[in-house]
Structures are given as C-alpha cells and as structure tokens.
Amino acid sequence: MIKDITLGQYFPGDSLIHRADPRVKIILTLVIMTNIFLIDSYLAFAVFAGFIAMAVFIGKIPFAYTLKGLKPIMPIIVFTALVNIFTNPGILLAGYGPVRITYEGIDTAAKMSLRLVLLIMSSSIMTLTTTPISLTDGLERILSPLKHLKVPVHEFSMMMTVALRFIPTLLEETDKIMKAQASRGADFETGNMFERAKSFIPVLIPLFVSAFRRADDLALAMEHAAIEVEREEQG
Amino acid sequence: MSIKVTGLTYVYMKGTPFEKIALDNIDLSIETGEFVGIIGHTGSGKSTLVQHFNGLLKPTSGSVYINGEKLEGKRARELKRQVGIVFQYPEHQLFEETVYKDIAFGLIKRGEEENEIDKKVRKTVRMVGLSEDILDKSPFELSGGQKRRVAMAGILVLEPSILVLDEPAAGLDPRGRDEIFELISNLHKSNKMTVVLVSHSMEDVAKYVERVVVMNKGRIEMCGPVRSVFNKIDELERIGLAAPQITYLMKRLKEKIPEINDNILTVGEAKAELEKYIRKA
C-alpha cells in the first residue's frame, strides 16, 4: 500500500560515486548547492546541469529515479514560478488590466525554477548513491572537530542513525496496520480530505503505541550494551 | 465459501532494483468448510498469498475467485467481506477507547444499525470466550491473551464465511495457545467456517488442519492431507521444514519396536498407539 515511498532512497550500485568517501560527497554537495544559489547566468546553470547529468551518468542511476525526487516539490516549483512571472515589475510583454507579464518576471521565474530543480537533483544524487548509515558516519566524521567544543557529535549521529534505522521498520509497521484495519473495513481511499485524514486515526494510534514500545525496548538494550558509559566518563 | 487461485504471480517492487518474485504461478483451491494449513519458511510467500484472498494485494498476473466469482470490479467489495484475515499479533491494531468500540469498528464502517451492532458485538465477545464486563474497559489495560481475543473479535464480528489466520498463537503461553486453537477449531466445527491457518508450528498444523499446503520460494511444493504430507519427512527437511517432534520420536521408537505404527502426528495419537502396544505385550 505504501510501497511507493522511497525514504532513504539508496539506489544500490558499485560506481565511482557509490564508492566515494561519504565526506567527499557531503562537502561537494554542499559546495554545489551554495553555488547554485550564487550563480545568475544561464551559462552557469547549463554548466551545473551538465555537471549533475555527468554525475547521474557515472553513478549509473536510472534517469527516472533522479526525477522521482522532484515530484513531491513540483507544486512548490510551479507556485514560485507563477508568483515570479506575475509580480515582477519591468518591461511589459503582455498584460490585461492588473495582470502583467514582464520580461524580468519570466527571467526570474525561469532561474528560480532551475535553481530549485538543480538543488533537489544534486542532493538526490548524494542520497541515491550513499546508504543512510554511511551518510551519518560521514557527517559524524566531518563534525568530529566540534567534539573539542563539547558538542555531543557522537550522540547526535547516534540519534540520527537510530532514527534512520527505524524508518523502514515503521513503514513496514504502517503497512501492516493499514492492511489489518482494511481487513476489518477501514477505507483509506475514498471520502473528502477531512474524512481521509480521520480514517488514519486507526493507523496512527497503534503506530504510536508500537513506536513507543520499540523505543523502550531499544533504550533498554542500549543501556545494557553500556552505550551510555561514554557520557558518564566525560561528565 | 470456497477460494480458488489460478496462475497467481506477485512481484514486489516491480521495475526497481529491489524487484522480487514473491509468488510464482500459484494454483490452489480451498473448498467450502475445509480447514487448510499453509506452512513454509519465512519469505516463502505464505503471507503474501493469503493477502490476495481479500484483495489487500492485487495479483501481478493470475486471478483469485471467491465462491466461483472473480475478485475484481463491482462485486469485489462484497466478495472481500466474505474473507476475514486475522494478522500476526492482531492486538497491535487495537486503538479505540473501549473494547466495545474497537470490536464495533468494522460494523460502524459498514453503516449498520446501532442495535444490530450491539447484538453482534455482545454475541462475538461471548463467542471468543470473554465476558461482557470487558466491553467498557480500554483495550490497552487487558492482558495479552485477552487483547488477542478482542482483536480476533473485531474480525469475527463482521461474520466472514472464510477465516484466515496468520500465526494466531504467536507469543502466547501454552495455555493461551490451546485456548486460541480451541476457539478456532470450534468456529470451524460449529459455525462451519472455512479456515486457513498460516503457521510455523508443525505441531499446531498437525493437530488441527485437514489439508496442508507447503510453500517454498513462492511456489507450492506439496499439497495434500496432513498425514501424507508429514509422512514425507525427507522432502520437508530438504526445504528446511520438519514434521512434528512426536512423529520423529515415533519413528525412532519403531526402529526398536517394529510392530508399532509410526504414522503419528499428535501426542494424543502417540499415547493411544503406545497404550495399545503395551496392552498387547
């Protein structure tokens, strides 16, 4: 039922990009993303688009997969583009009464959309070629100098690892509960928005109960494995 | 009510690198009033198979028939209602404030009348062996065994004519286990329900079901009366399953005492057979 959700959307492979150190990928992605915000000429956009296309090619990721990440934010892109087309003052191209389409409007809208698309695609490439666990690992190692400033980097990355680890588990659980409730007559697909939201109550309550149960079990297991010791020694 | 499955294939995550064939061209028919067991390893496809019985999963190819009618189109909704599936750990799906509301959930969804709902809920609670006092309690304050019964009642109250149970006794103590199977056995005998039991426990399957379907890697490996399936121990072991422990014991005993019958599936049968031998000796 919810198999279409690909969170932690790792796409298995053995390309150069897959094998690269996660730190390299994180830093490079950050650099690219910052640059996408700074550039302002179509030539620069073309260069970055080419670079990203190359990464997709080297990473041997099916093109459809990289576009999948764009789907959920498509409404945002369209909305931003429309707002920009209609609200920018400048050389009038077409207009009727208060509705004015200007050259500057189209220009900003195009750049804004390109920017958003490239941002999403560049971060998708990172998540598609790196397992969530090696991502957090990489993040921990990048941030490790902060340990000297008493920032609990290790604890944070442990929290992230645990959270990531439980996403598939909870998705599976959600799927199971939805099926169980559907078996006794629950209907998640018909009705208006309000009714559909309400129909998820029989899924959410059991899901919360089970998440707490799991958290409790995990906390107990971690305490037994003496994962807290480190903090006690420091404090 | 009967179930018939023809050429059923189901592929998980089709078109992705995670693609996996869960069911591979399954043909199976379950007759009205039968008690059928489905056994197999984790990942053999048994749960995937039963989820097709009430349309939770749609076949990648092939078809499912309920009582001779194809499970699709307009009639699908009506046909699905005939099949009640009790999932593993069904108590994990409880969510209402009171046991009453939880059991009534499906009936309310169907839009049945209030006094009709009341009648059915009370009848079902007694049927699963609980007292009516429990109806006003919160399902979360019950014991494990009680929760499981309440959850089963939530399915039974919908009066399905085919009941599918996925590991109904998992996680229960031996007594709770016996009680649950007693209940299922009763439903089969007195209410003439068609029952499909999915289980890992060879003992339970041997004790209660009439016919066994053995699944392995998405295919049906064997299918037949319990006794003939559990007699093929070598074949079962080859796919990582086994016969009930008592069957092994009786086979060992037969090596010493050739005159006893070793085609034994339950402790009860073994006891009778040994007593017969002792009396003769």
Side-chain angles (χ1 to χ4, degrees):
Chain A
M1 253 171 213
I2 49 163
K3 55 180 183 285
D4 302 328
I5 303 172
T6 48
L7 254 170
Q9 43 177 338
Y10 178 63
F11 187 91
D14 190 35
S15 69
L16 180 69
I17 301 187
H18 280 87
R19 277 175 285 139
D21 190 308
R23 286 174 294 180
V24 174
K25 285 188 265 189
I26 293 171
I27 293 172
L28 212 57
T29 307
L30 283 176
V31 169
I32 292 173
M33 287 172 93
T34 325
N35 272 298
I36 290 172
F37 273 113
L38 298 176
I39 56 178
D40 198 40
S41 79
Y42 287 106
L43 181 68
F45 277 118
V47 169
F48 274 93
F51 186 77
I52 287 169
M54 209 172 73
V56 171
F57 180 73
I58 297 172
K60 295 200 184 78
I61 310 161
F63 193 60
Y65 251 79
T66 48
L67 291 181
K68 226 167 138 188
L70 287 175
K71 230 197 220 155
I73 60 141
M74 217 52 210
I76 300 176
I77 296 178
V78 172
F79 181 74
T80 331
L82 286 178
V83 167
N84 273 300
I85 287 177
F86 291 115
T87 57
N88 268 299
I91 307 157
L92 193 67
L93 283 181
Y96 183 81
V99 183
R100 292 164 49 89
I101 297 176
T102 62
Y103 171 78
E104 280 81 359
I106 290 177
D107 184 54
T108 337
K111 280 178 181 159
M112 205 51 125
S113 310
L114 277 171
R115 212 164 256 153
L116 285 170
V117 169
L118 291 180
L119 275 178
I120 300 296
M121 288 194 74
S122 56
S123 58
S124 298
I125 289 167
M126 178 174 73
T127 51
L128 280 166
T129 58
T130 325
T131 60
I133 296 299
S134 60
L135 262 186
T136 34
D137 253 11
L139 210 58
E140 181 182 353
R141 278 154 77 191
I142 290 173
L143 298 176
S144 62
L146 292 178
K147 274 184 192 157
H148 300 295
L149 301 170
K150 301 247 170 203
V151 178
V153 176
H154 177 70
E155 279 76 4
F156 276 133
S157 89
M158 177 63 93
M159 276 161 64
M160 252 175 90
T161 311
V162 169
L164 287 169
R165 161 67 186 75
F166 275 89
I167 288 173
T169 312
L170 286 180
L171 279 177
E172 217 171 89
E173 189 100 5
T174 312
D175 190 51
K176 217 193 97 185
I177 296 170
M178 278 175 81
K179 279 178 177 164
Q181 304 297 27
S183 292
R184 49 178 189 151
D187 182 2
F188 306 108
E189 269 128 34
T190 56
N192 59 38
M193 218 168 77
F194 186 70
E195 281 166 349
R196 272 160 83 169
K198 226 177 112 188
S199 74
F200 271 90
I201 293 173
V203 177
L204 291 177
I205 294 175
L207 193 62
F208 262 86
V209 173
S210 103
F212 277 112
R213 190 179 46 233
R214 279 181 201 283
D216 205 39
D217 288 350
L218 183 70
L220 202 67
M222 285 172 84
E223 264 174 37
H224 273 264
I227 283 173
E228 222 187 1
V229 168
E230 198 180 344
R231 199 178 70 201
E232 276 163 13
E233 279 170 359
Q234 282 172 357
Chain B
M1 287 275 167
S2 63
I3 306 174
K4 200 174 143 208
V5 166
T6 54
L8 178 63
T9 297
Y10 186 76
V11 184
Y12 272 110
M13 317 269 291
K14 200 176 167 65
T16 72
F18 308 101
E19 185 174 302
K20 185 179 173 280
I21 298 172
L23 294 177
D24 188 1
N25 203 8
I26 299 269
D27 291 306
L28 175 68
S29 79
I30 294 168
E31 302 306 324
T32 310
E34 248 194 316
F35 196 149
V36 174
I38 301 181
I39 58 175
H41 244 278
T42 318
S44 60
K46 33 186 189 24
S47 295
T48 312
L49 175 63
V50 297
Q51 283 175 24
H52 281 87
F53 294 169
N54 74 343
L56 285 174
L57 294 176
K58 297 214 164 35
T60 307
S61 68
S63 352
V64 179
Y65 299 87
I66 306 293
N67 227 16
E69 282 187 80
K70 199 168 177 180
L71 188 62
E72 63 174 27
K74 272 186 195 159
R75 294 273 297 145
R77 207 186 164 86
E78 187 57 40
L79 292 171
K80 279 178 195 171
R81 285 188 179 183
Q82 303 299 330
V83 185
I85 299 188
V86 178
F87 279 85
Q88 223 176 90
Y89 296 103
E91 59 272 24
H92 290 178
Q93 80 203 23
L94 299 173
F95 72 99
E96 277 286 11
E97 294 156 64
T98 66
V99 171
Y100 184 96
K101 281 193 195 169
D102 215 296
I103 297 178
F105 174 74
L107 295 175
I108 295 169
K109 284 276 160 195
R110 275 189 194 173
E112 296 208 10
E113 269 178 52
E114 218 166 294
N115 48 8
E116 194 62 23
I117 291 177
D118 193 71
K119 236 195 283 173
K120 284 184 183 170
V121 168
R122 287 176 198 281
K123 192 181 115 196
T124 315
V125 152
R126 282 196 303 272
M127 190 158 85
V128 297
L130 295 170
S131 88
E132 287 188 29
D133 311 337
I134 214 170
L135 289 174
D136 296 323
K137 288 192 184 163
S138 157
F140 295 102
E141 58 185 75
L142 305 179
S143 75
Q146 285 174 320
K147 277 188 195 167
R148 175 119 357 143
R149 280 153 189 272
V150 169
M152 282 178 67
I155 297 284
L156 291 171
V157 80
L158 301 169
E159 298 171 329
S161 25
I162 302 167
L163 185 64
V164 181
L165 304 122
D166 194 346
E167 295 283 359
L172 291 182
D173 57 23
R175 193 167 147 207
R177 198 178 184 87
D178 286 346
E179 284 171 356
I180 287 287
F181 277 112
E182 204 57 39
L183 166 66
I184 297 165
S185 201
N186 253 334
L187 289 168
H188 170 62
K189 283 188 195 124
S190 23
N191 298 29
K192 303 274 177 284
M193 251 185 209
T194 309
V195 182
V196 179
L197 172 71
V198 177
S199 182
H200 272 116
S201 161
M202 303 304 148
E203 273 70 24
D204 295 339
V205 170
K207 199 165 164 189
Y208 297 100
V209 313
E210 295 157 355
R211 193 157 63 100
V212 189
V213 176
V214 183
M215 293 200 58
N216 185 36
K217 293 180 182 155
R219 290 165 181 272
I220 292 181
E221 191 82 25
M222 278 189 255
C223 180
V226 201
R227 212 162 284 280
S228 72
V229 167
F230 281 130
N231 219 9
K232 296 173 190 147
I233 293 185
D234 293 341
E235 274 180 61
L236 285 171
E237 283 180 347
R238 191 172 46 79
I239 57 172
L241 296 171
Q245 286 177 13
I246 193 74
T247 311
Y248 285 97
L249 179 67
M250 292 303 280
K251 287 213 186 294
R252 291 278 293 279
L253 275 175
K254 195 181 169 74
E255 287 167 19
K256 305 260 179 226
I257 320 166
E259 54 268 52
I260 61 166
N261 175 14
D262 66 346
N263 192 357
I264 295 290
L265 298 179
T266 65
V267 177
E269 280 176 22
K271 186 176 166 225
E273 180 66 27
L274 289 177
E275 275 175 354
K276 205 170 83 191
Y277 170 72
I278 291 166
R279 240 177 274 129
K280 254 197 283 176

